[in-house]
Amino acid sequence: MHKANNFDVIIVGGSYAGLAAAMSLGRSLRSVLIIDSGKPCNRQTPHSHNFLTQDGKTPKEISEIAKSQVLAYKTVTFVDDKAISGFKKEGIFSIGTQMGATYTSGKLVFATGIKDLMPSIKGFAECWGISVVHCPYCHGYEIRNEKTGIIANGERAYHLAPMVNNLTKDIRILSNGPASFSTEQSSKLKTHNIDILEKKIVEVVHDNGQVKNVVFDDGSKENYTALYAALPFDQHSDIPVSLGCELSDEGYIQVDSMYKTTIEGVYACGDNCIKMRSLANSVASGTMVGAVINMELVKEKF
């Protein structure tokens, strides 16, 4: 059991990955603190898909069920707060929060997710996660056979194009400026009747987040039912880097196969370290982190 504000494990981030880690640890009788600010990246998404037993539920429904089940384990504590600082001294981690609290632990988990960087296109942010989406596996079935645009360029657009082409034949790549495809890529896209439109996008016209059309800088517009977009991102929390955790070239927290970061005693799980962004992967990684940390704690005491 924990003493005052000291825990076996602090988990920063209480969405799917963080809750999954907490469940593994709670079931192993570990004292766990989850710190969560209540702002998941999928809060606009109306329905979640491709997650067994929960297909079609809202992200909020799923996380509320998960939270209630995790908090049934008496050694798990959840605080609604935002972690804003962290440091390590003599093998102990200290986390400071926005509300002025300080918590300590021997192990630290970041399940903090990532922050999508929205383009300066009017209406885009309001549609994100609703009809402007990132993942064919999460959203593609629901928008199959619809007129679809891919707002991306180069490798990112070429990566998405075959998967979207599998779901609808009415596709256009909106490169939002000069296209950057190799000759081979351009030829392959042309073979599959996928046009590339290089005009700059100025607005996504929508009705309550449902795309109606895309407006370009020359005043022209095209109707679309759905759009895919490949967005750049930042880490949602800067604490991992401040502690010395290394990031990959793409900006993910660098972890090994056991989700250990480059700092001893610090782990990461979920979207902040996994390219394949989905509920199922977040839960899987969190479950693994909980088991790995428990084994570390067992070995330290046995």
Side-chain angles (χ1 to χ4, degrees):
M1 297 297 289
H2 73 274
K3 295 176 183 177
N5 284 358
N6 183 55
F7 297 81
D8 292 332
V9 185
I10 292 174
I11 299 172
V12 182
S15 193
Y16 314 102
L19 289 169
M23 179 169 275
S24 285
L25 289 161
R27 290 180 56 79
S28 299
L29 308 180
R30 300 301 177 185
S31 63
V32 181
L33 174 68
I34 306 166
I35 305 171
D36 185 70
S37 59
K39 292 188 175 174
C41 66
N42 63 0
R43 57 189 176 273
Q44 276 193 184
T45 305
H47 300 284
S48 176
H49 293 282
N50 209 32
F51 185 29
L52 279 173
T53 76
Q54 306 297 318
D55 193 51
K57 291 222 174 120
T58 67
K60 190 166 186 274
E61 277 181 289
I62 299 169
S63 61
E64 283 178 351
I65 292 167
K67 185 177 173 183
S68 70
Q69 291 178 348
V70 169
L71 293 183
Y73 295 94
K74 301 305 179 189
T75 58
V76 180
T77 304
F78 191 106
V79 295
D80 295 296
D81 202 348
K82 183 179 181 182
I84 58 171
S85 64
F87 68 89
K88 184 181 185 182
K89 185 178 180 182
E90 296 174 359
I92 298 296
F93 296 100
S94 290
I95 295 292
T97 73
Q98 200 164 55
M99 293 172 72
T102 300
Y103 303 98
T104 58
S105 66
K107 307 288 182 188
L108 187 55
V109 177
F110 288 102
T112 41
I114 54 177
K115 180 169 54 182
D116 296 303
L117 302 177
M118 300 292 159
S120 55
I121 297 170
K122 185 181 176 184
F124 185 101
E126 290 82 354
C127 297
W128 184 239
I130 301 170
S131 60
V132 180
V133 298
H134 76 290
C135 172
Y137 298 105
C138 301
H139 307 285
Y141 183 84
E142 283 64 42
I143 51 178
R144 68 196 184 281
N145 301 323
E146 297 289 350
K147 185 172 182 184
T148 303
I150 298 174
I151 302 177
N153 205 353
E155 285 297 333
R156 287 186 169 197
Y158 193 73
H159 172 72
L160 275 170
M163 290 185 285
V164 177
N165 186 62
N166 179 56
L167 295 161
T168 180
K169 302 306 177 196
D170 195 353
I171 317 171
R172 186 169 244 189
I173 290 174
L174 311 177
S175 60
N176 196 26
S180 55
F181 296 96
S182 68
T183 304
E184 186 183 345
Q185 288 172 337
S186 296
S187 174
K188 181 73 80 169
L189 291 169
K190 192 172 183 180
T191 299
H192 291 280
N193 298 312
I194 300 173
D195 292 334
I196 303 165
L197 190 62
E198 299 181 86
K199 296 178 185 178
K200 291 288 286 182
I201 301 167
V202 295
E203 184 178 0
V204 175
V205 178
H206 64 96
D207 182 9
N208 288 322
Q210 296 294 336
V211 174
K212 296 301 176 188
N213 52 62
V214 175
V215 183
F216 301 95
D217 61 355
D218 63 356
S220 64
K221 65 181 182 181
E222 289 193 349
N223 297 326
Y224 289 94
T225 303
L227 301 167
Y228 287 87
L231 297 188
F233 67 87
D234 279 339
Q235 285 290 328
H236 206 262
S237 172
D238 58 7
I239 303 174
V241 170
S242 76
L243 285 168
C245 297
E246 291 179 21
L247 301 183
S248 71
D249 292 342
E250 293 169 287
Y252 294 99
I253 297 174
Q254 201 167 300
V255 293
D256 65 13
S257 59
M258 296 288 106
Y259 295 98
K260 296 179 181 181
T261 71
T262 52
I263 297 297
E264 184 69 29
V266 182
Y267 304 76
C269 54
D271 293 345
N272 63 13
C273 65
I274 299 174
K275 271 191 193 181
M276 180 71 176
R277 192 173 175 184
S278 75
L279 264 65
N281 275 316
S282 289
V283 169
S285 66
T287 302
M288 173 69 90
V289 163
V292 168
I293 292 174
N294 183 60
M295 182 53 73
E296 295 284 328
L297 292 170
V298 165
K299 286 179 178 176
E300 288 168 15
K301 294 276 168 59
F302 191 74

